[in-house]
Amino acid sequence: MYSKDEFFGGLSMVLTNGNEIFNNARKGKYAVGAFNINDLEWTRSILAAAQETNTPVLVQTSMGAAKYMGGYELCLHLVQDTIKSMGITVPVVMHLDHGNFEAAKECIEVGYNSVMFDGHDLPFDENLAKTKEIVKLAHAKGISVEAEVGSIGGTEDGIVGLGELADVEEAKTLNATGVDYLAVGIGNIHGVYPDNWKGLSFDRLKELADVIDTPLVLHGGSGIPKEQIIKAVSMGISKVNVNTELQLSFAKATREYIEAKKDLDIDEKGYDPRKLLAPGAKAITETTKERIAWFGTPSIK
C-alpha cells in the first residue's frame, strides 16, 4: 500500500498523463495495466475494476476502435463523463494505442493525456524524425508520448508485425528523443498466441533495460503466461497492454448466456441488451482485476 503522495508524487486524481505513474512503476518493479476500450460496456467495466482494486489504470483506443465509436473526441468525452457518472477517484490515463502520425497529432489536439506514435513499420530514420515531432507537439501540452522500436508480431489496425527483437542501439536512439515510455519487441505478438510461440526473449529485455531507464512497454500482453508476465515486469516492463483477453472473456460469457437461452426468456426480458451484455461486462471487470494482480500494481491508501 502506498499513500497517494508517495505513489503519484502529489498528482491530482482522475485524468492525468502517465509520466509519474509509469516512472514510479519502473522504479518500483511493478506495472500498470493498459486496457483497450471498444464501447461503453468496456469503458465502464475497466474503470470499475480499477476503482474496486483502488489502482491507477490506462484506458486506450486504437484507431479502429475510435472510428467505430465515433471519433477521438467522442471517445475522450465518453471516458471523462463515465468517470464522473461512476464516481471514479483513481487516476486514469486516456491514451491512443498504435496511432499513426496523423492520429497522434489529432489526439494531441483533441486532448488525450497520452499518445502512442507507432512508426515501427517506417524506415528507422523516418520513425525517428516523426517521433521527435510528436514529442515536441505533445510535450508542449503536457501530454505523454509512447514510441515503438522493433516490430510487435501479429496485426493491429492493418499493420502486420513479424515479432522482431528490438535493436538495442535503435532503442537507445529513439529513447533519446524524450519519449515518456518505449514499446519494445521482445518476441511478443498481438492477438492469440500460436502453439509454436517461443516465448519472450528475456535476454533481449535485459539488454534493453540495462541501457534504458524509461518505462518499457509490453504489447500483446494477452495470452502471455503469468510467470513470463511477472518476470518481464520484474526486469523493467512498466506498462502491459491487454485487449484480446478482454474480448475473449466478453465473448465467452455472452455465448454462455445465449446458449443457456436466457435471451429467450420473455418473462424476464432476457433479450434486453442491458441483461444480454451484463455477463460479458462482468467478465471484462474480472479479467481486468486478475491482470492488475498479475502486474503487481499497488493499491492507493
Side-chain angles (χ1 to χ4, degrees), residues 31-287:
V32 174
F35 302 94
N36 288 65
I37 59 173
N38 294 283
D39 58 22
L40 176 61
E41 276 69 34
W42 250 260
T43 304
R44 289 181 57 84
S45 298
I46 293 167
L47 290 177
Q51 188 70 20
E52 288 175 27
T53 56
N54 200 29
T55 56
V57 69
L58 184 148
V59 294
Q60 56 191 16
T61 56
S62 67
M63 293 188 296
K67 181 179 179 181
Y68 170 77
M69 288 190 279
Y72 299 113
E73 187 171 14
L74 187 151
C75 291
L76 177 61
H77 290 169
L78 171 65
V79 172
Q80 290 173 324
D81 292 346
T82 303
I83 286 170
K84 182 178 180 180
S85 70
M86 292 180 68
I88 301 299
T89 58
V90 297
V92 179
V93 182
M94 181 67 184
H95 180 74
L96 168 67
D97 185 31
H98 287 287
N100 60 24
F101 188 66
E102 294 304 321
K105 288 198 298 183
E106 183 176 348
C107 286
I108 290 168
E109 289 302 313
V110 164
Y112 274 46
N113 307 107
S114 180
V115 297
M116 178 187 186
F117 166 59
D118 181 0
H120 83 265
D121 58 328
L122 304 172
F124 181 72
D125 287 346
E126 185 177 354
N127 183 11
L128 183 63
K130 288 186 173 180
T131 297
K132 288 180 179 178
E133 180 65 20
I134 293 299
V135 168
K136 180 180 178 181
L137 292 171
H139 283 184
K141 296 189 173 185
I143 296 169
S144 303
V145 178
E146 177 182 345
E148 181 174 321
V149 60
S151 175
I152 309 301
T155 302
E156 184 83 6
D157 276 348
I159 299 174
V160 179
L162 300 178
E164 303 167 2
L165 300 183
D167 180 273
V168 177
E169 290 305 314
E170 287 187 353
K172 287 170 62 179
T173 301
L174 196 61
N175 185 63
T177 62
V179 296
D180 302 290
Y181 17 87
L182 186 65
V184 292
I186 53 173
N188 41 318
I189 69 171
H190 290 118
V192 178
Y193 281 74
D195 292 337
N196 62 351
W197 179 58
K198 297 180 180 180
L200 297 177
S201 173
F202 293 107
D203 289 341
R204 181 54 50 90
L205 176 56
K206 184 178 187 306
E207 291 180 273
L208 292 163
D210 282 348
V211 296
I212 295 173
D213 292 331
T214 302
L216 301 177
V217 182
L218 181 64
H219 283 252
S222 297
I224 298 176
K226 179 180 179 179
E227 62 273 14
Q228 291 195 37
I229 292 279
I230 293 173
K231 183 174 181 179
V233 169
S234 74
M235 294 175 65
I237 292 295
S238 308
K239 172 177 178 278
V240 183
N241 282 26
V242 180
N243 182 26
T244 301
E245 280 178 339
L246 300 187
Q247 293 178 344
L248 292 172
S249 293
F250 179 87
K252 180 176 183 291
T254 304
R255 184 186 312 111
E256 290 173 351
Y257 181 90
I258 292 174
E259 287 179 348
K261 298 184 178 180
K262 293 182 179 180
D263 59 314
L264 300 179
D265 189 330
I266 304 299
D267 294 334
E268 295 296 326
K269 295 186 177 180
Y271 51 81
D272 185 324
R274 290 168 292 182
K275 292 185 177 181
L276 178 63
L277 297 175
K282 182 178 180 182
I284 292 170
T285 296
E286 294 307 310
T287 300

